[in-house]
Amino acid sequence: MRTSIDGLGDAIMSQLEEWNENTVKRAANETFEELAAMAAGELKKGGPYTKRTGRYAKDWTYDQRTSRASVITGINSYSVHNKNHYQIIHLLEKGHQSRNGGRVRAFEHVGPVNDTLGELAVQKIAQKVRG
């Protein structure tokens, strides 16, 4: 691609935009989907609460969110959720008051997965962009 000195700034900007479109956004979208699947898989393995019934752990899944921001930016976002037992996630994660007047202990399982995947996302995107 040949350009004059006057058009050098525009040529550099167009190349950077093309690189952003093709490389960075594709790497981010692939990584986010991989990590959503990984998070659902980790949560399906269960935690200390699995001795109870086992029904809660098997219902974890992920879906792609549809939002205006995704359409504008071109970066997909994913939601990891429990499709059948969504009501008790907060109760298990944080603990709650029992009917007898005591406290039911918390089984932290979503927070640790979220923390590890946040760090892993940055590493994977950087690795894919570098080549």
Side-chain angles (χ1 to χ4, degrees):
M1 178 167 100
R2 296 187 64 108
T3 185
S4 66
I5 295 293
D6 296 333
L8 185 61
D10 293 334
I12 291 173
M13 284 304 296
S14 69
Q15 288 296 315
L16 286 174
E17 288 173 3
E18 182 179 327
W19 177 73
N20 183 30
E21 273 302 312
N22 295 335
T23 307
V24 178
K25 286 183 182 179
R26 184 173 35 85
N29 287 335
E30 289 172 1
T31 301
F32 292 150
E33 185 170 9
E34 288 172 16
L35 292 178
M38 187 184 302
E42 285 293 316
L43 290 168
K44 277 184 181 183
K45 290 179 184 174
Y49 55 84
T50 55
K51 295 178 185 174
R52 311 255 173 172
T53 63
R55 291 182 295 164
Y56 172 74
K58 69 177 180 171
D59 291 331
W60 285 99
T61 187
Y62 72 97
D63 291 325
Q64 182 178 349
R65 287 192 221 167
T66 55
S67 67
R68 240 173 46 192
S70 300
V71 172
I72 293 170
T73 62
I75 295 179
N76 301 331
S77 60
Y78 294 87
S79 176
V80 178
H81 58 93
N82 194 304
K83 59 185 170 192
N84 293 329
H85 302 284
Y86 56 88
Q87 303 94 336
I88 64 173
I89 295 171
H90 183 78
L91 298 175
L92 279 173
E93 185 78 11
K94 305 295 183 187
H96 58 91
Q97 187 75 32
S98 72
R99 283 193 262 182
N100 308 8
R103 292 279 308 165
V104 175
R105 90 171 222 233
F107 297 104
E108 291 189 21
H109 55 292
V110 178
V113 171
N114 188 30
D115 293 341
T116 57
L117 291 179
E119 298 166 3
L120 191 60
V122 174
Q123 294 171 359
K124 281 191 163 216
I125 291 171
Q127 181 182 13
K128 286 183 179 187
V129 168
R130 287 188 195 122

